[in-house]
Structure formats: structure tokens, C-alpha cells
Amino acid sequence: MIGVQDKDSCGKSSLCETPQACREGSRATRGKRSLARKSLAVLRTYLLFVFISWFFSSSLFHHSKKQH
């Protein structure tokens, strides 16, 4: 099979079997990306929780609730 020349994020050259293999990267790289996506999802969930907690505890919410 014809190899495809590719450079990784450090600029090092590697020989991939297929263009798809070059795009996907190594198992370790995919694992790091997966961990990064999970960490980002946890962070977004936490920030949403903090915002909702702040909103419901703010005087703005209580003030608008009394008007109705």
C-alpha cells in the first residue's frame, strides 16, 4: 500500500498507511482528544449550573417574581 507523508503537531514527519489514518492519529492522540471533549463537557455543565444557581439566587429573579 502506498504510504502518505504527514506531519504531527510537533512538526515531526510520519508515514501513514492511508490519509484517514493520518487524520485520525494514534490511539493515544484520540484518547487525549476524547478526554479533552469530556473535560469541556463537564466544564460547560458546571458553568451552566453556576449561572442557573446565580440567576435563581439573584435579587433580579426575586424582583421579577414579585411583579407577577
Side-chain angles (χ1 to χ4, degrees), residues 24-67:
E24 291 176 356
S26 68
R27 181 174 290 189
T29 304
R30 287 191 306 268
K32 288 177 186 176
R33 276 192 301 243
S34 176
L35 180 60
R37 277 194 304 272
K38 289 175 186 174
S39 298
L40 186 59
V42 168
L43 178 63
R44 286 179 178 165
T45 302
Y46 172 75
L47 290 175
L48 181 63
F49 175 77
V50 168
F51 175 76
I52 290 171
S53 298
W54 169 82
F55 180 77
F56 283 110
S57 66
S58 71
S59 60
L60 178 66
F61 174 72
H62 295 295
H63 181 70
S64 64
K65 192 176 176 184
K66 290 177 184 178
Q67 288 179 348

Side-chain angles (χ1 to χ4, degrees), residues 1 4-5 7 18-21 26 32 40 53 61 67-68:
M1 183 172 250
V4 177
Q5 197 72 17
K7 289 190 177 184
T18 64
Q20 183 181 3
S26 68
K32 288 177 186 176
L40 186 59
S53 298
F61 174 72
Q67 288 179 348
H68 293 285

